Amino acid sequence: MPENDRRSFLKASGIVGTAALTGLAGCGGNGGGQSSTSSSSSQSSSSGGSGQTDVKPFGMVTTLQNDQWQAFANGVQEAANALGAPDSDYKQNQGQQQKMVSQLSTAFTKGYNAICGTPYQASGVPTVVRKCKQNDAGFVDFWNIAKWYTPLDAGENFIQYQIPAVAKTGQLTAEILFEEMGGEGNFVHITGPHGVTGRNRNIGVENAMKKYPDINKLGMQPGDWSRPSGRKVMSSFVSKYGDKIDGVYCQNDAMGLGAYTILKNNDMSVPMVGYDGPKDAVNNIKSTSADGDGPNWVASFSAKTFWQGGYAVVEAFDWLNGWRPTVPERMMWGGGVVVTSDPSKYRGKLKTEFDASWSKPDDYLSVAYSDGKSPYDWKKMSRTLNPDGWDPQNKLVPIRKDEFNQLNWTESNKPSGYSLPDAYSESGTFDDVEQRYAKHHETDPYQ
C-alpha cells in the first residue's frame, strides 16, 4: 500500500500514536504431540485465481511437544493447503524471544507474508508487528498482547488479536466441577503462574463459588503449567488435606495430568476438571467415571486451537486480497468447546449459561486432531471468496472497552499520556459486528 494511502487508512481508522498470558497461555508441555520442529507443503496451484495474492503463512508456536500447539500448526497447514498456498511453514521458538525474532527474519527472507500465532511474552507483540510492517506482512495474534497496545495503535499489519473469554470459561469449568460434587463440599485449586491467564481463570473460579455457597476452597497453589508441577502441588494438597478433598480444579490439563497421577496413586475417587483439551486428558475423560476406583476426569475446555491456526490463515488471505477488518473485528473473543462424556448432564443446567460448543471425547478428538482431514471448510470462512455467505464456523464476539480488564489492562498500568482511540467508544458499531458474526456463524463441527 502506498504510504499516502496508508496514512489515510490509519487516520480514518482513528489510530493514534503507539503504546508501549506463558506458552499457549495456559498450555504447558503435556508430553503429547510430535517432536518435529518444522513442516512445509508445496502446491502448484494459485491461492484463488486471476488477480489474487497468494498467502504464504508462517506458524509461530511455542513448543511442538504440546498437543495444542501441534494442533495449531496442523490447522495452519490444512488451511494453507485448502487455499492453494504455494508454501507454508511453522517453527517452535521454545519461549525464547530472540529465537522467535531470528525465525521471523528467516521466514520473511523466504517470502512468507502471513504470521499466525503468538509471542511467548506479551512484550514481544510490538516486535512482531514492527517486523511485519517492514516486510508487508500481516499478523494474526492469539493469547498474548502487550498492555494498552491495540491493533489501531499498531497499524493495519496487526490484523486481529483473539483469545477465549478466559474468566467466563474458567467459571464454566468450575461450575461443572461443583455440579459433579453435588453442589457442596471442599475442593483444591491448582492455579497457573502469575499472569493474565491464571489471574482471569482465578476470577472465573471465584465467580462460580458465588453461585455455589456450599462449596468451600481448601487451598490454592500455583504450578507452572507443567505435569511435574501438577504432581508436586497435588502431593502437597493430599498431605495437608487428605480425605477432606472432594474435588480438584486444574487451570490447565498439563498440571491436571500430574495431579491425576497423585490422586490415582492415593486411591482418591474425586472429580476433577481441567483446561486445554490435550489427547491424554481427553482420553482420561473418556475412560473414567464417578463409579470408578480412581479420580473422575469430568471435563476440559478447549480453545479450538486447530481452528485458530486455520482461521488465522484465512484472515491473512483475505487481508492480502484487500479485506480490512473494522475496529470491532480487530480484537475478538474466540469460541471454544467443552469436552465431557455426557454434555446433556451440564449443558443448559449450570448456574451461569455460557455459549460454548459441547462435545463427547471421541467427537472432539476427531476434529481437534484430525491432521489434514478436518470437517472445516476453510474457503467458506473467507470473506473475499464468499463475500455474502462466509461462515467463521466458530463463535466470534468483539472485545469491548469495558472488558479490557480481562486483558489485565487497568488504569493503574495505562502508559502515561496514552488515550484509547475514540473508535472503541462507538458501541453501536460493536453491536453491529456482534450481530453480523452471529448471523454468519451457521456451522460448527462440534455441534
Side-chain angles (χ1 to χ4, degrees):
M1 174 178 285
E3 186 60 23
N4 289 340
D5 290 349
R6 180 178 179 275
R7 289 196 186 100
S8 297
F9 175 83
L10 300 183
K11 184 176 180 181
S13 299
I15 298 172
V16 292
T18 57
L21 266 183
T22 65
L24 173 59
C27 296
N30 57 43
Q34 302 173 18
S35 60
S36 62
T37 58
S38 69
S39 175
S40 64
S41 63
S42 297
Q43 296 190 9
S44 59
S45 61
S46 171
S47 61
S50 179
Q52 289 192 323
T53 301
D54 285 325
V55 60
K56 293 185 65 174
F58 179 83
M60 183 171 58
V61 305
T62 300
T63 172
L64 295 169
Q65 302 305 308
N66 176 293
D67 283 348
Q68 294 297 81
W69 273 127
Q70 183 66 60
F72 183 96
N74 289 343
V76 168
Q77 298 286 289
E78 185 176 289
N81 291 340
L83 293 171
D87 196 14
S88 58
D89 197 5
Y90 57 86
K91 290 285 190 296
Q92 58 180 358
N93 55 50
Q94 298 172 322
Q96 300 174 30
Q97 182 146 315
Q98 191 55 47
K99 187 173 185 178
M100 176 197 76
V101 172
S102 176
Q103 290 170 347
L104 284 175
S105 296
T106 300
F108 288 129
T109 64
K110 294 181 178 181
Y112 291 100
N113 56 13
I115 306 304
C116 312
T118 187
Y120 183 74
Q121 296 177 334
S123 60
V125 173
T127 300
V128 177
V129 173
R130 184 171 62 254
K131 294 188 74 66
C132 284
K133 286 181 178 180
Q134 293 167 351
N135 292 276
D136 296 323
F139 176 41
V140 181
D141 179 31
F142 294 89
W143 299 98
N144 282 331
I145 189 168
K147 290 183 177 65
W148 296 101
Y149 183 72
T150 76
L152 291 189
D153 298 315
E156 69 171 85
N157 297 76
F158 193 167
I159 302 171
Q160 185 184 81
Y161 167 69
Q162 192 188 123
I163 188 174
V166 186
K168 291 180 179 179
T169 53
Q171 178 176 345
L172 180 68
T173 49
E175 291 193 12
I176 291 173
L177 174 65
F178 299 162
E179 285 290 323
E180 191 66 24
M181 291 168 59
E184 61 182 12
N186 307 310
F187 79 104
V188 290
H189 182 179
I190 303 178
T191 75
H194 179 73
V196 173
T197 301
R199 168 184 173 271
N200 284 303
R201 287 181 196 165
N202 291 345
I203 291 172
V205 173
E206 295 300 321
N207 288 340
M209 290 180 66
K210 294 175 184 176
K211 304 284 185 179
Y212 293 80
D214 294 325
I215 292 288
N216 175 57
K217 181 164 60 181
L218 288 173
M220 175 174 164
Q221 189 172 326
D224 62 6
W225 302 128
S226 71
R227 192 181 300 209
S229 70
R231 286 196 296 266
K232 181 178 179 180
V233 174
M234 193 68 240
S235 180
S236 173
F237 282 150
V238 170
S239 296
K240 188 172 184 179
Y241 302 114
D243 291 339
K244 293 181 180 179
I245 300 172
D246 300 313
V248 180
Y249 183 93
C250 302
Q251 278 191 195
N252 87 329
D253 286 328
M255 296 187 300
L257 288 165
Y260 178 87
T261 301
I262 299 300
L263 292 169
K264 191 172 183 178
N265 290 344
N266 285 273
D267 297 319
M268 297 182 69
S269 299
V270 299
M272 62 180 293
V273 296
Y275 199 111
D276 288 340
K279 295 175 186 176
D280 287 350
V282 174
N283 284 326
N284 283 338
I285 294 172
K286 180 180 176 180
S287 63
T288 62
S289 70
D291 300 325
D293 295 332
N296 175 25
W297 201 314
V298 181
S300 178
F301 178 87
S302 169
K304 299 183 181 177
T305 50
F306 185 92
W307 172 89
Q308 286 180 335
Y311 189 71
V313 175
V314 174
E315 289 215 308
F317 169 82
D318 285 346
W319 184 82
L320 288 165
N321 285 285
W323 169 74
R324 291 295 179 266
T326 61
V327 172
E329 291 175 283
R330 299 186 69 183
M331 295 178 67
M332 302 193 83
W333 300 120
V337 56
V338 180
V339 187
T340 185
S341 294
D342 184 5
S344 64
K345 185 176 181 180
Y346 309 104
R347 187 175 188 178
K349 300 176 183 179
L350 302 175
K351 299 289 185 179
T352 302
E353 178 65 11
F354 179 73
D355 188 9
S357 304
W358 293 74
S359 179
K360 293 182 178 181
D362 284 339
D363 294 334
Y364 167 78
L365 292 171
S366 70
V367 176
Y369 301 106
S370 50
D371 194 11
K373 305 172 185 176
S374 85
Y376 288 112
D377 186 341
W378 305 108
K379 289 184 178 179
K380 185 70 171 177
M381 294 183 193
S382 168
R383 301 159 187 81
T384 55
L385 298 179
N386 300 280
D388 298 319
W390 57 274
D391 179 0
Q393 296 159 58
N394 190 18
K395 183 176 182 179
L396 286 166
V397 178
I399 300 177
R400 298 173 185 257
K401 182 172 67 172
D402 61 3
E403 298 173 310
F404 284 174
N405 64 318
Q406 292 192 48
L407 306 178
N408 198 25
W409 294 7
T410 65
E411 289 299 320
S412 63
N413 61 33
K414 182 186 292 186
S416 177
Y418 175 79
S419 296
L420 191 69
D422 292 340
Y424 285 103
S425 299
E426 298 172 3
S427 59
T429 61
F430 282 76
D431 293 339
D432 291 343
V433 168
E434 182 169 349
Q435 293 166 13
R436 175 154 50 90
Y437 272 74
K439 178 181 178 181
H440 280 270
H441 179 202
E442 296 180 347
T443 59
D444 182 339
Y446 294 106
Q447 300 292 59

